Amino acid sequence: QVQMVESGGGLVQAGGSLRLSCTARGRTSGYGMGWFRQAPGKEREFVGNINWSGDTTYYADSVTGRFTISREIAKNTLYLQMNSLKPEDTAVYYCARGTGGRPTGYDSWGQGTQVTVSS
């Protein structure tokens, strides 16, 4: 397992943008990485992921066209660029190491960073 730390969350108005970062201690090269989010009272939800080389990404329908995942392998860092934010994007956002659209496909998680979008 690796330790991962998310940063970049905060309060933003609807229509605004935020960029989340996730820095890992330990090996993430050769692994896929993903972003999930969890709103109060809801299950953890897949946002998107990126493959080991950084050239393939997948997104949930709810964020397609608004969010972009990228990674800098040399820096062991994962990013989530969020544009055109909506109040329903409000959640704690988590990065994780693994693959697929379910939390069970990931073996290491960050502690999460809060994103709040005001209307």
Side-chain angles (χ1 to χ4, degrees), residues 4-9 20-23 35 93-96 109-113:
M4 290 183 286
V5 178
E6 301 95 338
S7 61
L20 306 184
S21 298
C22 169
T23 301
W35 287 98
Y93 283 71
Y94 300 89
C95 64
W109 294 81
Q111 83 291 344
T113 185

Side-chain angles (χ1 to χ4, degrees), residues 85-96:
L85 282 161
K86 305 175 182 180
E88 50 264 44
D89 294 318
T90 295
V92 177
Y93 283 71
Y94 300 89
C95 64

Side-chain angles (χ1 to χ4, degrees), residues 26-67:
R27 183 181 175 189
T28 58
S29 61
Y31 289 87
M33 299 287 292
W35 287 98
F36 288 76
R37 66 187 182 186
Q38 189 165 18
K42 295 189 177 182
E43 293 187 351
R44 194 163 294 191
E45 174 189 30
F46 174 75
V47 173
N49 62 13
I50 189 166
N51 72 335
W52 67 273
S53 62
D55 60 3
T56 302
T57 53
Y58 292 98
Y59 300 96
D61 289 344
S62 58
V63 306
T64 296
R66 300 188 297 122
F67 290 11

